[in-house]
């Protein structure tokens, strides 16, 4: 079993002005002369974590992490319901990543991230393939509307009682309509009690979908601190109620643009949140990608998932790309 690398602290950090009144937090750790790698967190709205740094050999990588607009240490924070989300879209985040690359003087970088992070990685790489050396994705999603509908409606066939509670978290008149838009409205309500009830229902549902997995904490969503939970739910509802502003199926359709970029996809067979089908489709559409299916893992991963991820990052550490 591969152990994570020891904890490390950033040697540089800052707040990048990306326009629209937003400042994006970034940090760099590891070897200042190492191979550049960007960690793209999930959620959307989860923020970067210290744990993500430990997938990389700090002697060989220059590891860049950032908090996407509105979450983590970026400002303004969307836990404040007055924070405007109109300038927080997938296109804005792709532009922020490119602005950060330029700011740090990086020519090409490896991209690492899963879940929502994989959607953002694919959107960036298909737009800027010349700036990407390799990609490593645990837990693949492309945020198609069919994937979003599965997570927030279709998976309810496995957990009908819990999905009913999720559905009943919005006003009665909206329960047979667009639940995500209804939740987005609740998360912008000026009453903190309304926002907290909505966030609690949302996180309870997300945790339920992952509850059959044999590994990982039982409260990945609900156990977050108040502000982090508020930001996660508000940004998720905002993005997914708009289909992440992506043409349906575009990331799979345009995966040929990734030809020449080595990719490692790692996906748990037990993942009810983002079923294996999407990872399989992406591996078939992306020339040069390799898919490893972990039989004992779901969305939260396992020791076997970590073995493959760290193995891939160690392998790519010696490849040209700085």
């Amino acid at each position: 079993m591969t152990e994570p690398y020891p904890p490390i602290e950033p040697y540089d950090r800052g707040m990048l002005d990306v326009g629209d009144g937003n400042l994006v937090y970034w940090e760099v750790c590891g070897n200042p002369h190492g191979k550049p790698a960007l960690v793209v967190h999930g959620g959307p709205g989860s923020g970067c974590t210290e744990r993500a740094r430990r997938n990389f050999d700090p002697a060989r990588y220059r590891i860049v992490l950032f908090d996407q607009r509105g979450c983590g240490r970026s400002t303004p924070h969307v836990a404040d319901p007055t924070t405007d989300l109109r300038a927080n879209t997938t296109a804005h985040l792709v532009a922020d990543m490119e602005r950060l690359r330029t700011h740090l003087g990086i020519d090409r970088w490896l991209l690492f991230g899963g879940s929502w992070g994989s959607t953002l990685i694919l959107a960036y790489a298909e737009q800027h393939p010349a700036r990407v050396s390799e990609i490593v994705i645990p837990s693949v999603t492309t945020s198609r509307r069919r994937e979003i509908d599965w997570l927030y409606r279709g998976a309810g066939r496995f957990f009908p009682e819990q999905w009913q509670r999720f559905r009943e978290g919005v006003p009665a008149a909206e329960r047979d309509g667009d639940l995500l838009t209804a939740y987005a409205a609740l998360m912008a309500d000026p009453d903190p009690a309304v926002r907290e009830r909505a966030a609690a229902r949302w996180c309870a549902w997300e945790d339920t979908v992952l509850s059959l997995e044999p590994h990982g904490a039982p409260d990945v969503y609900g156990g977050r601190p108040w502000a982090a939970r508020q930001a996660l739910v508000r940004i998720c509802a905002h993005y997914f109620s708009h289909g992440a502003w992506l043409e349906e199926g575009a990331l799979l359709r345009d995966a040929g643009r990734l030809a020449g970029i080595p990719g490692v996809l790692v996906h748990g067979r037990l993942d009810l949140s983002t079923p294996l089908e999407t990872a399989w489709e992406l591996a078939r559409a992306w020339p040069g990608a390799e898919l490893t299916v972990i039989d004992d893992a779901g969305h939260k991963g396992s020791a076997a998932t970590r073995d493959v991820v760290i193995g891939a990052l160690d392998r790519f550490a010696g490849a040209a790309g700085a």
Side-chain angles (χ1 to χ4, degrees):
M1 183 174 67
T2 305
E3 293 298 323
Y5 284 97
I8 52 174
E9 293 299 320
Y11 66 80
D12 195 13
R13 67 184 73 196
M15 301 291 288
L16 181 65
D17 187 342
V18 294
D20 310 302
N22 283 276
L23 296 175
V24 164
Y25 171 83
W26 60 268
E27 62 183 37
V28 189
C29 48
N31 183 349
H33 306 290
K35 180 187 183 75
L38 179 69
V39 176
V40 184
H41 68 69
S46 287
C48 63
T49 65
E50 297 177 3
R51 184 176 65 253
R53 305 171 188 159
R54 301 182 61 191
N55 291 300
F56 298 86
D57 182 346
R60 296 194 287 171
Y61 274 104
R62 180 186 178 193
I63 311 151
V64 182
L65 301 94
F66 75 110
D67 290 329
Q68 295 160 29
R69 292 189 183 203
C71 69
R73 287 150 288 189
S74 294
T75 61
H77 199 275
V78 305
D80 179 350
T82 66
T83 298
D84 192 339
L85 288 176
R86 286 177 295 180
N88 195 330
T89 70
T90 302
H92 286 98
L93 299 187
V94 168
D96 293 349
M97 291 164 64
E98 184 63 359
R99 190 186 296 255
L100 179 59
R101 182 193 64 79
T102 302
H103 176 74
L104 295 175
I106 293 171
D107 181 38
R108 300 168 70 225
W109 48 10
L110 176 149
L111 303 179
F112 168 74
S115 194
W116 160 255
S118 67
T119 295
L120 188 51
I121 282 172
L122 295 170
Y124 175 91
E126 290 179 9
Q127 188 170 333
H128 303 285
R131 299 304 181 187
V132 181
S133 57
E134 300 91 11
I135 296 173
V136 177
I137 296 174
S139 300
V140 178
T141 177
T142 64
S143 298
R144 287 176 292 181
R145 286 165 177 80
R146 57 177 287 192
E147 297 170 45
I148 295 167
D149 185 68
W150 165 260
L151 175 56
Y152 297 107
R153 188 177 298 275
R157 69 190 65 177
F158 290 93
F159 309 99
E161 181 182 357
Q162 294 89 340
W163 186 78
Q164 183 69 13
R165 287 199 292 270
F166 175 67
R167 177 176 174 267
E168 290 173 352
V170 306
E174 300 178 72
R175 290 173 186 167
D176 293 323
D178 186 342
L179 293 179
L180 303 188
T181 296
Y183 268 100
L186 292 173
M187 292 306 299
D189 194 285
D191 185 343
V194 170
R195 301 197 306 275
E196 180 54 28
R197 283 195 299 271
R201 290 287 182 106
W202 182 288
C203 290
W205 171 246
E206 294 266 19
D207 283 332
T208 293
V209 176
L210 305 186
S211 64
L212 301 182
E213 296 186 10
H215 307 287
D219 58 349
V220 170
Y221 294 94
R224 299 171 190 235
W226 179 84
R229 188 169 64 247
Q230 290 278 314
L232 173 73
V233 176
R234 189 175 177 208
I235 294 175
C236 279
H238 171 63
Y239 270 75
F240 296 148
S241 64
H242 289 90
W245 297 272
L246 294 168
E247 183 184 343
E248 184 71 355
L251 296 181
L252 288 172
R253 181 197 67 204
D254 297 337
R257 297 178 184 175
L258 305 176
I261 301 175
V264 171
L265 312 176
V266 190
H267 206 92
R269 192 178 298 281
L270 307 180
D271 191 342
L272 272 181
S273 175
T274 57
L276 176 60
E277 176 188 38
T278 297
W280 183 79
E281 290 173 328
L282 178 60
R284 288 170 59 87
W286 175 359
E290 55 188 77
L291 170 64
T292 299
V293 178
I294 308 297
D295 287 331
D296 76 337
H299 200 71
K300 294 182 284 190
S302 67
T305 305
R306 186 173 66 240
D307 287 346
V308 178
V309 166
I310 293 180
L313 293 173
D314 284 350
R315 171 159 50 101
F316 288 146

